[in-house]
């Protein structure tokens, strides 16, 4: 999972660089448009990663990740022993 976090952090850092460059307003039009498009791609990728992380946390928080307990008799029906 560390690889995903590194990817997210790198994307976010690049997105911040792009925003700062666009906010300065000193870029030629073509370069500004190219950076804008790159920023949109990065923002979407970061959003998808955040949504996936949010879903993982939600599943864990709701208790959907539980231990699988098998009865000792192995049949799963405690009343018919």
């Amino acid at each position: 999972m560390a690889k995903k976090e590194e990817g997210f952090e790198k994307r976010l850092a690049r997105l911040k660089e792009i925003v700062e460059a666009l906010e300065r307003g000193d870029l030629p039009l073509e370069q500004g448009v190219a950076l804008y498009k790159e920023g949109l791609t990065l923002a979407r990728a970061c959003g998808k990663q955040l949504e996936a992380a949010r879903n993982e946390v939600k599943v864990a928080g709701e208790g959907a990740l539980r231990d699988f307990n098998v009865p000792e008799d192995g049949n799963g029906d405690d009343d018919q022993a």
Side-chain angles (χ1 to χ4, degrees):
M1 181 173 281
K3 189 174 182 180
K4 279 187 178 180
E5 291 173 8
E6 290 174 10
F8 177 82
E9 295 300 328
K10 286 181 181 179
R11 285 183 180 120
L12 188 59
R14 177 63 181 146
L15 185 55
K16 287 179 182 181
E17 291 173 5
I18 290 171
V19 169
E20 289 170 3
L22 291 172
E23 285 179 342
R24 281 194 308 268
D26 59 354
L27 298 171
L29 180 62
E30 294 82 10
Q31 189 177 0
V33 170
L35 283 178
Y36 181 79
K37 288 179 180 180
E38 182 184 351
L40 284 177
T41 301
L42 290 168
R44 286 182 186 127
C46 287
K48 286 180 182 179
Q49 283 185 284
L50 287 172
E51 185 64 29
R54 183 181 299 126
N55 288 338
E56 287 181 38
V57 169
K58 184 178 178 182
V59 167
E62 290 175 350
L65 298 177
R66 293 177 267 185
D67 290 335
F68 183 70
N69 295 320
V70 178
E72 289 185 27
D73 63 3
N75 66 11
D77 193 2
D78 292 336
D79 295 336
Q80 296 181 10

